[in-house]
């Protein structure tokens, strides 16, 4: 089995060779006064179509075409190549006209969302694993609700056993709202631990005011808070992994349509 | 406990159908070839004259006599007519239950000369009792002659059509039980019937020939080395059926001209029922299982492959080698309990086969099951490797002892995980047949593992598996899997493309859960592992869950599944889900007999009908998933260390 490092090396080397060939071909065409822009434009459009095919391939599960992981590799490296092809085609000069501007903006949005997606798909999984228990995204809301129910049961039990409402008061004022829905969304999205830590520290501060029995109940509650924080983290991060595709894919279709319009106009003018 | 999928039934229409019931599908109805031949009461009368069953009848009579004597002793008088009548009823009930087992689980089959009864390598799910004629046991047969079937894949067109017509409603079925019309269709039609394909392939004959002057299985010399059974009452294939392992030999019909070979075939559910109920039967079958297992198995091992079969069959050999069993045959029932134990307790629960420091006067060969190879470390034991079928324990020490003429102690301990059959081969046999044979010794030495294992819990075990991961695989008995689903959680983006791919190829409902225990960074997901020892097969009343002959997959015949959940409860890994099938309008099928909806057991079928192979692995864009054979450790390590 080929290691990831080796695979990355071979694929990167192939990418560099392909980019060099494309640059040379474009240079050659320009030198021989051939329609280099049309050639690079057609190449770029073909490359974008090939990239878009990946999404189609994912749906056609029965097709004995290459595996999705091979498609993914092709998608990533052809994606990098498309940036080079775009620079060859459009150059770094300023674009002319609204359509070209829209096309350039769309292309860079698709490319950047792709790069962001690639970063997330490589970096997030390990972070998700290390943060806490692995949970299925769709189950998070029900797990959250269950946790809230269990926490309330702890409070009821504490009132019954300790004959004091101190814990219930703290719960009502500080914790109840926390269990209602996802919290610290921005912190989790940015990977900052500050807000969750602060919240836990605030809860731990209340220990000094509790009796020994109440402290035991509070410890269970603190565990629930930790579990809930992991649920929130998983929800935000897994959500981000799902959400970016809803940006990347529609933008790609927009890009294809705009590029097709641009091609048609260019062809008419060339004709 | 396995989950029962509870679909949202609000606003659902129910349609009442006849529920598929246990005993609905007697074994004879699943005809091996041609038209089904019914097992009748007359057949059962004939079978009860066989010595095997006579012994059961005798046991029943003995039990009744004992009971009668006990009652008479207690009462201090002879039993009156009423009491004798009751005893007679008890006897009749026992005999009736024996008859019912035979009616439900046995079928009578006639074989043409040279026709295959069982094929080497096939996963046995039934045993045969010779009634008339004779059979020949061939240890070595050219696989081509056996017409080995490779697993059938459907056409791309078929896969496309299925994809196109995939249901929107989960678990849609057009039928939930077998139609009588299918059962009595012509043989050709049955072969075309996909639901029956597996059963048919399991014992389909290859060619029928009229009595030839010579057998097509080999020349006279080859045939003279094979064993012929002429006596009625001989059991064939009972070992494979009981141990749920591949057949060890090919058996063909071999009668004289003008004779016929007729056998009773009993599926393993029937065999188990007889074995569990009557100790006479158990003793008989276990004796043969041990006796025959020995010679047949030795011929397939790396140690004795080169030894002539006469030699292996000789009394000297057979008497010197001991056949030992360790652990619990029904290990799946104690699995959860054992998993809850701490490592020390767990170790204590595993019977010791050979201890480190003991002086070997022989070597152990694993015949079936798994064993843990470990080394003591402080107060515990560090697992170094696990051994499966045909692995040899203690050969290095044996070779060293023979070379230095000084006994060398075992360096590691060998413990039974679950249920293990081992052969103990004494040192003198190793010396005579292995050590003295230069070429065999050289070959084995080159295959030997480097046994210089550091006694360090942070070092890798044998073959490069990390110790923690190794312990995890062994403790959870994932080593049973031939197609375990491993997910690299540092690459898995939780995108669920695998789950969607599985659903889109399976009644719009995934056949696995992307969830399971994680060790290091690897998850063993809740997907059927197509185990070496598929304990889920035990107890299925209709044989709906079975192994596919061609490729060893464990699959469920949806139409004969009665929804009893025995398999789901038996699977220690929780990989079978019960579902409620629906018709095209979304209505749940509902039994006519009572108020319960009809259930079916579902699980991963390894996408046997997909051109692409496992759709889940094929759909994972991030190289995060693999279906791994836990006995192929080098490939596993390769994947883990990519
Ligand atoms: S259902 Fe369970 S026991 Fe049966 S083969 Fe699959 S994983 Fe093994
Ligand atoms: S192999 Fe097929 S049936 Fe099994 S889990 Fe994967 S997709 Fe589902
Ligand atoms: S397809 Fe691959 S990456 Fe996506 S959830 Fe399945 S295993 Fe994980």
């Amino acid at each position: 089995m080929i290691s990831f490092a080796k695979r990355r090396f071979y694929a990167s080397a192939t990418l560099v060779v392909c980019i060099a060939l494309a640059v040379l071909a474009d240079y050659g065409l320009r030198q021989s006064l051939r329609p280099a822009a049309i050639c690079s434009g057609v190449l770029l459009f073909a490359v974008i179509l090939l990239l878009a095919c990946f999404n189609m391939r994912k749906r056609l599960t029965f097709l004995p075409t290459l595996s999705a992981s091979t498609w993914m590799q092709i998608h990533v490296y052809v994606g990098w190549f498309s940036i080079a092809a775009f620079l060859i085609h459009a150059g770094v000069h300023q674009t002319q006209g609204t359509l070209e501007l829209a096309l350039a903006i769309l292309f860079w949005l698709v490319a950047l969302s792709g790069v962001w997606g690639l970063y997330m798909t490589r970096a997030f999984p390990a972070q998700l694993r290390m943060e806490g228990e692995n949970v299925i995204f769709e189950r998070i809301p029900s797990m959250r609700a269950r946790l809230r129910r269990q926490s309330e049961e702890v409070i009821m039990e504490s009132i019954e056993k300790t004959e004091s409402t101190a814990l219930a008061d703290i719960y009502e004022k500080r914790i109840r709202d926390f269990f209602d829905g996802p919290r610290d969304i921005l912190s989790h999205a940015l990977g900052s631990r500050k807000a969750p830590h602060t919240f836990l520290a605030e809860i731990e501060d209340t220990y000094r005011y509790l009796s020994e029995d109440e402290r035991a109940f509070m410890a269970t509650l603190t565990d629930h808070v930790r579990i809930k924080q992991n649920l929130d983290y998983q929800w935000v991060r897994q959500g981000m992994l799902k959400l970016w595709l809803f940006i990347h894919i529609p933008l790609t279709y927009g890009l294809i349509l705009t590029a097709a319009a641009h091609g048609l106009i260019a062809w008419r003018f060339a004709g | 406990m396995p989950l029962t999928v509870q679909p949202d039934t609000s606003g659902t229409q129910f349609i009442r159908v006849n529920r598929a019931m246990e005993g609905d599908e007697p074994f004879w109805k699943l005809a091996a070839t041609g038209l089904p031949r019914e097992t009748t009461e007359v057949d059962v009368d004939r079978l009860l004259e066989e010595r095997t069953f006579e012994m059961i009848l005798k046991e029943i009579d003995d039990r009744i006599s004992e009971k009668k004597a006990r009652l008479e002793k207690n009462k201090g008088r002879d039993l009156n007519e009423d009491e004798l009548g009751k005893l007679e009823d008890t006897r009749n009930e026992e005999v009736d239950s024996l008859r019912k087992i035979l009616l439900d689980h046995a079928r009578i089959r006639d074989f043409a000369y040279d026709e295959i009864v069982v094929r080497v390598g096939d996963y046995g799910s039934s045993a045969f009792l010779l009634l008339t004629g004779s059979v020949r046991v061939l240890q070595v047969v050219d696989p081509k002659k056996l017409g080995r079937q490779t697993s059938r894949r459907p056409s791309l067109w078929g896969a496309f059509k299925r994809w196109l017509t995939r249901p929107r409603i989960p678990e849609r079925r057009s039928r939930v039980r077998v139609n009588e019309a299918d059962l009595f269709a012509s043989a050709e039609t049955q072969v075309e019937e996909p639901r029956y394909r597996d059963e048919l392939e399991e014992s389909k004959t290859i060619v029928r020939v009229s009595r030839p002057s010579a057998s097509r299985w080999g020349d006279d010399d080859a045939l003279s080395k094979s064993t012929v059974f002429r006596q009625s009452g001989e059991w064939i294939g009972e070992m494979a059926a009981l141990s749920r392992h591949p057949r060890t030999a090919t058996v063909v019909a071999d009668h004289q001209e003008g004779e016929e070979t007729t056998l009773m075939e009993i599926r393993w559910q029937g065999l188990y029922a007889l074995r569990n109920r009557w100790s006479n039967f158990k003793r008989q079958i276990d004796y043969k299982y041990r006796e025959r297992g020995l010679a047949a198995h030795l011929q397939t091992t790396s140690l004795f492959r080169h030894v002539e079969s006469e030699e292996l069959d000789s009394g000297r050999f057979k008497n010197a080698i001991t056949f030992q069993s360790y652990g619990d045959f029904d290990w799946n029932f104690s699995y959860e309990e054992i998993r809850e134990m701490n490592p020390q307790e767990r170790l204590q629960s595993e019977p010791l086969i050979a201890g480190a420091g003991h002086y070997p006067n022989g070597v152990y060969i694993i015949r079936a099951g798994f064993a843990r190879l470990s080394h003591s470390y402080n107060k515990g034991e560090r697992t170094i490797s696990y051994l499966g079928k045909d692995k040899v324990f203690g050969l290095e020490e044996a070779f060293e002892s023979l070379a230095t003429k000084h006994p060398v102690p075992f360096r590691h301990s060998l413990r039974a995980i679950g249920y293990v059959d081992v052969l103990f081969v004494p040192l003198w046999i190793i010396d005579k047949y292995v050590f003295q044979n230069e070429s065999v010794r050289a070959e084995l030495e080159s295959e030997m593992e480097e046994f210089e294992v550091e006694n360090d819990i942070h070092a890798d075990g044998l073959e490069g598996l990390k110790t923690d991961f190794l312990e995890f695989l062994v403790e959870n008995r994932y080593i049973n899997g031939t197609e375990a689903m491993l997910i690299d959680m540092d690459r898995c983006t939780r995108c669920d493309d695998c789950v969607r791919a599985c659903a889109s190829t399976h009644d719009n409902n995934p056949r696995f859960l992307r969830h399971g225990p994680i060790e290091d960074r690897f998850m063993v997901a809740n997907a059927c592992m197509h185990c070496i020892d598929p304990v889920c097969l035990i107890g299925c009343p209709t044989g709906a869950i079975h192994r596919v002959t061609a490729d060893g997959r464990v699959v469920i015949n949806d139409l004969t599944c009665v929804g009893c959940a025995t398999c789901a409860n038996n699977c220690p890994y929780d990989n079978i889900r019960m579902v409620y099938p629906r018709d095209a309008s979304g209505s749940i099928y509902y039994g006519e007999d009572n108020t319960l909806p009809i259930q079916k057991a579902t699980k991963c079928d390894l996408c046997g009908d997909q051109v692409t192979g496992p759709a889940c692995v094929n759909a994972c864009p991030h190289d995060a998933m693999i279906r791994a054979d836990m006995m192929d450790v080098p490939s596993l390590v390769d994947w883990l260390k990519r």
Side-chain angles (χ1 to χ4, degrees):
Chain A
M1 186 174 287
I2 184 166
S3 71
F4 289 136
K6 254 195 197 152
R7 188 174 76 180
R8 211 172 298 126
F9 173 76
Y10 290 135
S12 305
T14 314
L15 174 68
V16 170
V17 170
C18 289
I19 293 175
L21 285 177
V23 170
L24 281 177
D26 184 66
Y27 180 74
L29 286 171
R30 280 181 206 281
Q31 289 303 306
S32 58
L33 299 176
R34 300 241 170 80
I38 293 182
C39 290
S40 58
V42 169
L43 174 73
L44 181 58
F45 191 62
V47 160
I48 292 171
L49 283 183
L50 176 67
L51 290 168
C53 280
F54 181 38
N55 192 40
M56 293 289 163
R57 155 67 185 79
K58 277 193 185 177
R59 285 162 204 275
L60 306 176
T61 39
F62 67 92
L63 268 186
T65 48
L66 303 170
S67 68
S69 65
T70 310
W71 270 92
M72 183 68 187
Q73 289 302 305
I74 295 171
H75 190 79
V76 168
Y77 288 96
V78 173
W80 289 119
F81 179 79
S82 74
I83 294 178
F86 182 82
L87 290 174
I88 292 170
H89 179 65
V92 276
H93 60 78
Q94 266 204 310
T95 45
Q96 300 151 357
T98 325
L99 187 69
E100 278 192 22
L101 183 67
L103 197 55
I105 292 173
L106 272 175
F107 180 83
W108 286 114
L109 282 177
V110 172
L112 288 177
S113 64
V115 174
W116 171 240
L118 182 63
Y119 164 73
M120 283 198 298
T121 53
R122 291 292 175 261
F124 280 20
Q127 294 168 4
L128 283 170
R129 174 178 66 83
M130 286 184 280
E131 182 66 22
E133 197 203 342
N134 172 66
V135 283
I136 294 174
F137 185 74
E138 288 73 16
R139 288 191 186 169
I140 293 176
S142 65
M143 290 171 88
R144 200 189 286 138
R146 194 170 61 218
L147 212 52
R148 187 194 153 146
R149 224 174 25 249
Q150 286 170 346
S151 300
E152 280 168 5
E153 278 164 18
V154 170
I155 297 298
M156 296 314 285
E157 203 186 332
S158 86
I159 296 174
E160 212 175 284
K161 296 256 166 74
T162 62
E163 292 176 356
S164 147
T165 57
L167 207 63
D169 291 343
I170 296 171
Y171 180 79
E172 197 57 36
K173 284 202 187 105
R174 301 288 306 122
I175 306 174
R176 191 196 150 100
D177 177 56
F178 173 76
F179 282 112
D180 270 352
R183 294 289 175 265
D184 304 328
I185 294 177
L186 198 64
S187 289
H188 291 314
L190 297 174
S192 155
R193 304 289 303 134
K194 199 174 161 204
H197 264 295
T198 313
F199 186 63
L200 267 180
E202 276 176 27
I203 292 176
E204 275 157 18
D205 277 348
T206 63
Y207 272 61
R208 74 184 72 184
Y209 309 113
L210 302 174
S211 70
E212 201 174 317
D213 287 350
E214 285 167 337
R215 275 207 291 275
F217 285 112
M218 195 56 165
T220 315
L221 218 53
T222 316
D223 284 345
H224 287 183
V225 168
R226 284 203 187 93
I227 297 171
K228 164 70 173 30
Q229 285 183 337
N230 175 51
L231 287 185
D232 288 347
Y233 181 86
Q234 301 280 341
W235 188 78
V236 172
R237 288 284 169 125
Q238 290 194 35
M240 285 169 79
L241 279 165
K242 289 180 198 298
L243 197 70
W244 83 272
L245 277 176
F246 287 100
I247 297 167
H248 189 64
I249 295 171
L251 282 175
T252 306
Y253 289 131
L255 175 65
I256 290 172
L257 288 178
T258 323
H262 165 74
L264 274 176
I265 293 167
W267 175 66
R268 270 200 70 182
F269 277 101
Chain B
M1 274 288 108
L3 288 176
T4 297
V5 177
Q6 296 288 355
D8 176 15
T9 54
S10 51
T12 307
Q13 293 279 316
F14 293 111
I15 44 167
R16 290 176 193 274
V17 294
N18 270 330
R19 178 189 299 276
M21 295 295 284
E22 174 180 351
D24 248 15
E25 305 308 335
F27 195 34
W28 63 265
K29 280 196 176 179
L30 304 168
T33 49
L35 291 172
R37 171 180 158 179
E38 185 174 354
T39 306
T40 61
E41 294 285 352
V42 177
D43 290 323
V44 174
D45 287 340
R46 153 83 186 81
L47 288 175
L48 292 183
E49 285 168 16
E50 285 298 324
R51 190 167 153 62
T52 293
F53 300 116
E54 268 182 4
M55 284 173 75
I56 295 182
L57 291 174
K58 185 174 174 304
E59 185 176 339
I60 295 174
D61 286 339
D62 288 350
R63 276 191 206 168
I64 298 295
S65 306
E66 269 171 38
K67 199 170 174 187
K68 182 172 172 254
R70 219 176 27 248
L71 284 173
E72 284 178 342
K73 196 174 161 206
N74 288 349
K75 291 181 192 284
R77 60 168 170 82
D78 284 353
L79 298 185
N80 61 33
E81 247 181 54
D82 237 22
E83 289 160 338
L84 285 173
K86 272 188 194 150
L87 274 185
E88 187 59 24
D89 289 347
T90 314
R91 181 190 180 275
N92 290 344
E93 272 168 27
E94 279 240 19
V95 174
D96 283 350
S97 65
L98 170 63
R99 296 184 73 94
K100 177 143 175 45
I101 290 172
L102 293 176
L103 280 170
D104 285 349
H105 297 291
R107 63 187 179 197
I108 311 291
R109 293 180 58 191
D110 297 323
F111 289 84
Y113 176 77
D114 248 6
E115 190 178 339
I116 294 175
V117 178
V118 296
R119 251 177 288 181
V120 65
D122 281 0
Y123 281 96
S125 53
S126 63
F128 292 83
L129 180 74
L130 184 60
L131 301 176
T132 62
S134 49
V135 291
R136 186 179 287 276
V137 181
L138 304 156
Q139 295 295 355
V140 188
V141 179
D142 177 1
K144 272 196 218 123
K145 281 189 183 177
L146 287 174
R148 277 255 167 264
Q149 297 141 338
T150 49
S151 149
R152 275 199 221 168
R153 297 275 186 216
S155 64
L156 181 59
W157 174 240
F160 172 63
K161 263 202 317 205
R162 251 196 316 281
W163 177 81
L164 209 61
T165 55
R166 66 194 186 283
R168 280 167 192 276
I169 310 157
E171 302 301 344
R172 196 189 78 192
R173 309 279 200 283
S174 51
R175 297 189 286 163
V176 286
R177 60 173 289 168
V178 186
N179 286 336
E180 290 288 295
D182 297 334
L183 290 167
F184 292 96
S186 73
E188 285 74 24
T189 321
Q190 284 199 23
V191 174
E192 293 306 312
E193 168 61 65
R195 299 288 181 177
Y196 284 100
R197 206 170 60 209
D198 299 336
E199 285 88 344
L200 285 169
E201 279 176 358
E202 200 149 309
S203 40
K204 201 164 75 186
T205 59
I206 299 172
V207 201
R208 282 175 186 272
V209 286
S210 55
R211 181 85 170 99
S213 51
S215 167
R216 68 204 157 97
W217 299 113
D219 52 23
D220 288 348
D221 187 37
L223 289 183
S224 67
K225 289 177 191 160
S226 55
T227 320
V228 177
F229 291 113
R230 295 218 161 78
Q231 251 184 354
S232 78
E234 279 294 344
W235 277 100
I236 294 143
E238 77 287 355
M239 273 188 312
L242 284 170
S243 59
R244 309 182 290 274
H245 277 89
R247 309 272 192 203
T248 50
T250 299
V251 178
V252 296
D254 188 60
H255 46 258
Q256 302 300 311
E257 212 159 354
E259 278 183 0
E260 263 186 349
T261 294
T262 307
L263 294 115
M264 175 204 78
E265 184 181 8
I266 182 162
R267 55 181 162 189
W268 69 264
Q269 288 89 342
L271 208 58
Y272 261 89
L274 294 175
R275 193 169 173 269
N276 290 342
R277 270 192 93 150
W278 293 288
S279 56
N280 266 354
F281 186 78
K282 183 179 188 305
R283 265 198 296 276
Q284 245 185 90
I285 221 90
D286 284 0
Y287 173 74
K288 290 198 171 162
Y289 172 44
R290 282 156 191 276
E291 273 292 290
R292 291 215 198 125
L294 202 58
H297 183 233
L298 285 176
Q299 262 171 344
T300 63
T301 61
S302 54
L303 289 186
F304 302 111
R305 209 174 285 141
H306 61 285
V307 182
E308 293 289 322
S309 52
E310 289 99 335
E311 193 83 37
L312 292 178
D313 234 359
S314 68
R316 247 166 77 83
F317 225 104
K318 273 190 178 171
N319 295 338
I321 295 175
T322 32
F323 191 79
Q324 304 166 359
S325 301
Y326 294 87
D328 181 8
F329 202 83
D330 300 323
W331 61 267
N332 48 316
F333 295 121
S334 51
Y335 174 78
E336 273 307 322
E337 199 184 310
I338 286 173
R339 248 168 43 138
E340 299 296 311
M341 292 174 177
N342 68 40
Q344 260 90 14
E345 286 172 340
R346 202 177 298 130
L347 212 71
Q348 293 305 316
S349 76
E350 292 173 1
L352 184 71
I353 302 170
H358 292 183
Y359 285 91
N361 45 10
V363 303
Y364 292 90
I365 305 173
I366 310 283
R367 193 195 158 267
F370 308 99
R372 182 202 292 261
L373 197 66
S374 62
H375 205 102
S376 75
Y377 185 91
N378 193 24
K379 298 273 185 289
E381 288 274 324
R382 175 188 161 223
T383 304
I384 291 158
S385 189
Y386 49 88
L387 306 183
K389 187 172 183 287
D390 282 351
K391 293 276 181 187
V392 184
F393 174 79
L395 194 61
E396 289 79 0
E397 290 90 336
F399 276 9
E400 250 185 88
S401 302
L402 291 167
T404 59
K405 307 251 183 288
H406 283 292
V408 175
F410 283 133
R411 295 190 180 94
H412 309 287
S413 297
L414 189 69
R415 288 190 152 79
I417 311 171
Y419 177 80
V420 189
D421 278 348
V422 292
L423 300 177
F424 178 74
V425 185
L427 212 54
W428 71 263
I429 289 193
I430 297 292
D431 187 20
K432 184 170 174 198
Y433 296 99
V434 187
F435 193 71
Q436 309 268 335
N437 188 325
E438 289 281 326
S439 63
V440 176
R441 190 173 75 194
E443 195 185 315
L444 286 167
E445 274 172 347
S446 71
E447 283 172 14
M448 272 182 200
E449 287 290 344
E450 183 49 65
F451 255 59
E452 288 306 312
V453 182
E454 289 173 68
N455 201 12
D456 172 3
I457 43 167
H458 304 298
D460 287 351
L462 289 179
E463 300 173 296
L465 258 187
K466 273 174 110 180
T467 303
D468 293 348
F469 197 67
L470 195 59
E471 302 275 11
F472 166 74
L473 293 183
V474 172
E475 277 161 12
N476 290 287
R477 304 214 180 138
Y478 292 135
I479 50 176
N480 198 359
T482 65
E483 296 285 352
M485 183 189 276
L486 296 187
I487 301 179
D488 181 343
M489 297 310 282
D490 282 5
R491 289 194 73 85
C492 171
T493 62
R494 287 70 163 168
C495 66
D496 279 339
D497 279 356
C498 49
V499 179
R500 274 189 292 276
C502 184
S504 82
T505 47
H506 292 86
D507 298 319
N508 201 9
N509 206 7
R511 296 295 181 235
F512 76 102
L513 273 183
R514 189 182 53 71
H515 195 71
I518 299 174
E519 174 63 36
D520 198 356
R521 52 175 224 264
F522 301 101
M523 172 196 277
V524 180
N526 273 133
C528 171
M529 308 196 296
H530 301 269
C531 298
I532 294 172
D533 184 13
V535 281
C536 54
L537 265 62
I538 303 170
C540 171
T542 62
I545 186 163
H546 63 282
R547 284 245 197 224
V548 177
T549 309
D551 51 22
R553 281 180 302 126
V554 175
V555 297
I556 300 171
N557 184 341
D558 196 62
L559 290 184
T560 50
C561 169
V562 292
C564 65
T566 307
C567 55
N569 291 324
N570 272 349
C571 171
Y573 311 102
D574 222 4
N575 289 339
I576 298 182
R577 315 268 135 205
M578 302 308 294
V579 299
Y580 296 148
R582 293 162 183 261
D583 78 340
S585 68
S587 305
I588 285 176
Y589 284 101
Y590 199 74
E592 267 179 353
D593 48 352
N594 56 32
T595 51
L596 294 173
I598 280 168
Q599 287 197 96
K600 295 283 174 185
T602 62
K603 63 182 247 336
C604 162
D605 61 3
L606 217 58
C607 288
D609 58 354
Q610 289 297 311
V611 192
T612 54
C616 47
V617 178
N618 199 45
C620 174
H622 302 292
D623 282 299
M625 186 187 274
I626 192 182
R627 303 306 295 252
D629 179 355
M630 293 301 178
M631 280 295 139
D632 184 2
V633 180
S635 304
L636 179 65
V637 172
D638 244 18
W639 185 81
L640 298 173
K641 294 190 172 170
R642 290 173 300 167

